[in-house]
Amino acid sequence: MSVRIRLQRIGRPKRPYYRVVAIDKRSKRNGEPIEILGQYDPLLQENKLNIKMERFEYWVKTGAQPSDTVASLVKKQQPAK
């Protein structure tokens, strides 16, 4: 089973809201996730992404591939070194 870390839309029409989930690559967009890692609200001004970084890193270490969108959001959230 190949696992992806991607966004799962749960918002109502014209009010997007997403969960960051670890899910089987072959599942539908709103299929049953393996684990919910956080949430993303694109309409907020601050703190748009709330994610459990230790679980995100665990899934990446076990071979899960983050989607391009999730990877860019996580990269923006991490503090500059």
Side-chain angles (χ1 to χ4, degrees):
M1 173 172 63
S2 62
V3 177
R4 295 280 295 191
I5 300 172
R6 64 184 188 201
L7 297 176
Q8 183 180 52
R9 186 178 169 130
I10 57 172
R12 63 180 196 248
K14 298 189 182 188
R15 179 61 175 94
Y17 189 79
Y18 301 92
R19 285 184 182 150
V20 180
V21 296
I23 193 167
D24 184 7
K25 183 178 179 179
R26 299 166 291 180
S27 295
K28 298 177 184 177
R29 180 190 74 179
N30 289 336
E32 185 67 29
I34 299 169
E35 182 177 357
I36 298 172
L37 304 175
Q39 57 266 353
Y40 170 63
D41 189 349
L43 299 181
L44 287 180
Q45 295 300 321
E46 295 180 11
N47 300 326
K48 293 182 176 193
L49 180 67
N50 184 7
I51 190 169
K52 302 175 200 169
M53 286 305 295
E54 62 279 350
R55 294 305 294 166
F56 176 82
E57 292 168 3
Y58 164 79
W59 280 107
V60 170
K61 287 180 184 175
T62 58
Q65 296 291 318
S67 68
D68 294 338
T69 305
V70 171
S72 68
L73 289 171
V74 169
K75 186 177 179 182
K76 288 177 187 178
Q77 182 190 22
Q78 291 179 348
K81 294 181 181 178

